[in-house]
Amino acid sequence: MLQLLKSKIDKKTARICIVGLGYVGLPLAIEFAKRDFEVIGYDVSVDLVNNINDLKSHLSTISDELLKSVEFNFKATNSPKKAFTNTDFIIICVPTPVTKSNDPNLDYIKSALIDILPYLTKDMFLILESTTYPGTTEEIMIPIIEQSGMVAGLDFGVAYSPERVDPGNITFNLSNTPKVVGGINEDCADIARELYSQITSVVKVSSLKNAEATKIIENVFRAVNIALVNELAILAEQLGFDIWEVIDAASTKPYGFMPHYPGAGVGGHCIPVDPFYLSWKAKEVGLNSKFIELAGEINQNMPKHIVNMTIAGLNEVKKSVNGSKVLILGLAYKKDVNDLRNSPMLSVFEQLLKMGAEVSYNDEFINEVRMDNELLASTPLETIQNFDCVIIGVKHSYYDLDYISSQFISDVVVVDCINVLNQNQSKCCVLKKLGQ
């Protein structure tokens, strides 16, 4: 099996199926297709599949032109038979959210495996990329697939390689970010390394669990440090120092410090979710991951702090939040992406609505959003003078801050969550800046 797969990789005759065509799966499919591999993408969304085959990208980070450039090597389908028949490698890139109680939800992984099971044959190779707790591949994935009667590592290959996608980051991408791989045995790890080395450099670790833990620890590190600076930002407001200037100053130290920055919370598919997978798993062995859970609590409370800053600002101009018109600039969870998952600005939006504010948003990456059972469209920037309060949550590239600030009138409240306004841009408003 292994020699056959290695030969197919070398000759670029291996057929690769990517399961899940979101922020992780679609870029991965394109990367392999660019290297002349035949790639089939599998997704349960009919609309998504049709759009991809019509060369219309659903991701702001993937252009229609990029899809067109690989159309001869990459097609999408929602048919399991078309996706998994005569396929050599199946790479699973489905979401791994958490429940309301922050427990892992592996339903997407299980569903994908059930779809694959009837088509599994000897010599296939399965790779899980979805972020999850250490042990998932061995405890969940392999038992489901071995219902076929075949043995993992002998009849078919198994590996884990955590996704490392940072949507909107033009500096780092799949081709210049190393992939970590671990296999059920060393031979499987070697085949996974061989496959991924076609698109980037590869770091092989000694086990599936070590590969799974690598991704979790990367995100725990970020979550804890972001929570730390979020807490320091609130402290800075009370003690009268500028957290942004302090971080910049501390960053001049050439060792022992890595800058992280405060904000309205954390969003996306990783930082708000992944650390809870590890804390949940820790409880299975009787451990309480206090740092992880405390970091989650701090980050989840940041939208409330932004709401309190908004209330305080409106009070300064003798206005109540109830009835005030509020405009949120940037609803996506980060700059220049059309991803709303776990966006802290959604929480700010919802809390202000409940308090009676009339809330609108501007975000060219988010055409519409459903709030309070009402479908709302992005509000043009030209209407900014109609609002009592403007909250800057995300700095998209198309924002001209000089123009935006020139539209502020004397009693408008501006809540700057990300330190983008300077003194000259804030002379004509009541400015409330996070961390100052």
Side-chain angles (χ1 to χ4, degrees):
M1 173 189 69
L2 298 177
Q3 288 302 316
L4 174 63
L5 289 175
K6 185 178 185 304
S7 174
K8 286 186 175 184
I9 294 170
D10 292 341
K11 296 176 181 177
K12 297 189 183 295
T13 59
R15 187 175 190 261
I16 303 170
C17 176
I18 308 296
V19 180
L21 297 174
Y23 274 94
V24 175
L26 184 57
L28 184 65
I30 290 173
E31 207 64 35
F32 278 116
K34 284 163 60 177
R35 268 69 173 189
D36 294 326
F37 286 95
E38 180 189 352
V39 182
I40 185 80
Y42 175 71
D43 201 287
V44 295
S45 171
V46 175
D47 289 341
L48 185 150
V49 165
N50 288 340
N51 283 337
I52 288 174
N53 288 333
D54 290 339
L55 307 180
K56 297 176 182 176
S57 175
H58 59 287
L59 301 179
S60 59
T61 51
I62 300 291
S63 67
D64 295 348
E65 291 73 20
L66 184 54
L67 279 178
K68 184 173 177 58
S69 71
V70 295
E71 65 176 318
F72 295 110
N73 292 332
F74 172 50
K75 301 295 180 185
T77 183
N78 55 12
S79 165
K81 184 176 181 179
K82 290 181 180 179
F84 307 129
T85 302
N86 298 321
T87 293
D88 299 298
F89 290 91
I90 300 175
I91 305 177
I92 301 172
C93 306
V94 296
T96 46
V98 292
T99 66
K100 290 184 178 180
S101 57
N102 289 326
D103 293 335
N105 178 355
L106 300 180
D107 288 349
Y108 292 100
I109 292 178
K110 293 174 182 177
S111 178
L113 293 171
I114 290 169
D115 287 346
I116 294 166
L117 190 56
Y119 304 96
L120 186 73
T121 61
K122 286 188 176 183
D123 300 339
M124 275 188 178
F125 201 105
L126 275 62
I127 303 173
L128 182 61
E129 282 212 8
S130 304
T131 306
T132 186
Y133 59 81
T136 300
T137 309
E138 293 167 287
E139 297 166 13
I140 303 296
M141 177 174 167
I142 290 175
I144 291 176
I145 293 299
E146 285 188 339
Q147 292 176 23
S148 63
M150 290 180 278
V151 179
L154 180 64
D155 298 314
F156 63 92
V158 175
Y160 182 85
S161 180
E163 59 90 359
R164 280 177 161 176
V165 176
D166 188 10
N169 189 332
I170 62 174
T171 303
F172 296 105
N173 52 49
L174 280 170
S175 63
N176 63 15
T177 302
K179 287 286 288 177
V180 172
V181 300
I184 190 173
N185 53 42
E186 189 166 352
D187 286 339
C188 285
D190 286 339
I191 289 296
R193 177 174 60 184
E194 186 78 15
L195 178 68
Y196 284 112
S197 68
Q198 304 301 306
I199 61 173
T200 191
S201 60
V202 180
V203 177
K204 188 179 84 168
V205 295
S206 61
S207 69
L208 292 167
K209 280 187 178 180
N210 284 356
E212 292 162 334
T214 298
K215 172 66 173 178
I216 290 288
I217 289 177
E218 290 171 1
N219 287 342
V220 166
F221 174 83
R222 291 185 62 195
V224 169
N225 280 281
I226 291 170
L228 174 62
V229 294
N230 277 335
E231 189 168 62
L232 291 174
I234 297 172
L235 183 64
E237 293 168 10
Q238 298 300 315
L239 297 184
F241 65 88
D242 183 337
I243 189 64
W244 305 95
E245 185 176 345
V246 168
I247 291 172
D248 285 345
S251 297
T252 63
K253 185 178 180 180
Y255 58 90
F257 183 82
M258 179 179 291
H260 288 75
Y261 298 94
V266 290
H269 65 292
C270 287
I271 307 302
V273 174
D274 299 347
F276 290 115
Y277 271 66
L278 189 57
S279 63
W280 177 86
K281 192 64 176 176
K283 291 173 184 174
E284 279 196 351
V285 293
L287 296 177
N288 185 10
S289 303
K290 295 180 182 179
F291 270 118
I292 296 174
E293 293 179 5
L294 180 59
E297 180 182 338
I298 292 170
N299 289 330
Q300 288 172 352
N301 284 336
M302 287 306 292
K304 180 63 177 176
H305 182 69
I306 301 302
V307 170
N308 288 338
M309 291 174 65
T310 303
I311 295 170
L314 288 169
N315 284 342
E316 287 185 26
V317 294
K318 304 187 185 310
K319 292 180 181 178
S320 168
V321 67
N322 190 350
S324 289
K325 295 181 178 180
V326 179
L327 176 65
I328 294 175
L329 297 185
L331 200 58
Y333 89 90
K334 67 179 296 189
K335 176 181 177 180
D336 294 347
V337 301
N338 61 346
D339 194 345
L340 276 174
R341 285 177 297 176
N342 300 301
S343 171
M345 299 315 298
L346 278 177
S347 179
V348 172
F349 201 135
E350 292 168 349
Q351 291 181 49
L352 289 172
L353 280 178
K354 289 179 180 178
M355 293 176 152
E358 298 179 26
V359 189
S360 302
Y361 79 97
N362 172 270
D363 195 318
E364 291 183 4
F365 293 94
I366 309 294
N367 293 327
E368 55 187 23
V369 65
R370 185 170 294 279
M371 301 294 295
D372 241 5
N373 294 320
E374 183 180 357
L375 200 59
L376 303 177
S378 177
T379 298
L381 282 174
E382 291 74 19
T383 66
I384 199 167
Q385 290 186 346
N386 299 335
F387 293 89
D388 303 300
C389 177
V390 176
I391 303 174
I392 306 175
V394 179
K395 186 184 179 298
H396 290 311
S397 295
Y398 72 86
Y399 284 147
D400 182 341
L401 292 173
D402 287 332
Y403 166 77
I404 290 171
S405 60
S406 72
Q407 304 302 301
F408 296 149
I409 54 179
S410 60
D411 62 345
V412 69
V413 175
V414 179
V415 180
D416 182 359
C417 306
I418 49 176
N419 191 40
V420 292
L421 290 185
N422 56 42
Q423 285 185 330
N424 291 332
Q425 292 169 317
S426 60
K427 286 182 177 178
C428 297
C429 65
V430 175
L431 180 64
K432 308 291 288 185
K433 294 191 73 170
L434 175 64
Q436 288 188 9

